[in-house]
């Protein structure tokens, strides 16, 4: 069982190394990406609220 666990840890380390290589070029843009994701989340919330209010006005819910 320990051998399987050690192999799993090794695979996880390789995957993390690959992920780190993919993320490092994005580091200079993290502040912009953070605001972009916040804006997308707020837009999604606004659409959901609008849909609920529209349903309520139409008497659907």
């Amino acid at each position: 069982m320990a051998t399987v666990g050690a192999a799993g840890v090794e695979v996880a380390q390789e995957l993390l190394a690959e992920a780190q290589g993919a993320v490092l070029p994005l580091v200079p843009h993290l502040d912009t990406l953070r605001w972009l994701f916040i804006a997308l989340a707020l837009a999604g919330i606004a659409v959901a609220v609008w849909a609920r209010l529209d349903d309520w006005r139409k008497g659907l819910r």
Side-chain angles (χ1 to χ4, degrees):
M1 197 57 130
T3 305
V4 173
V9 168
E10 199 172 309
V11 170
Q13 286 176 341
E14 290 175 15
L15 289 174
L16 286 174
E18 289 178 25
Q20 182 182 11
V23 171
L24 282 178
L26 298 176
V27 169
H29 307 289
L30 286 180
D31 193 49
T32 304
L33 289 173
R34 179 184 61 166
W35 287 111
L36 176 67
F37 289 134
I38 289 171
L40 286 173
L42 291 175
I45 291 168
V47 168
V49 168
W50 177 81
R52 295 303 115 217
L53 288 173
D54 188 51
D55 287 348
W56 178 70
R57 274 184 270 154
K58 292 179 181 177
L60 296 175
R61 287 189 175 217

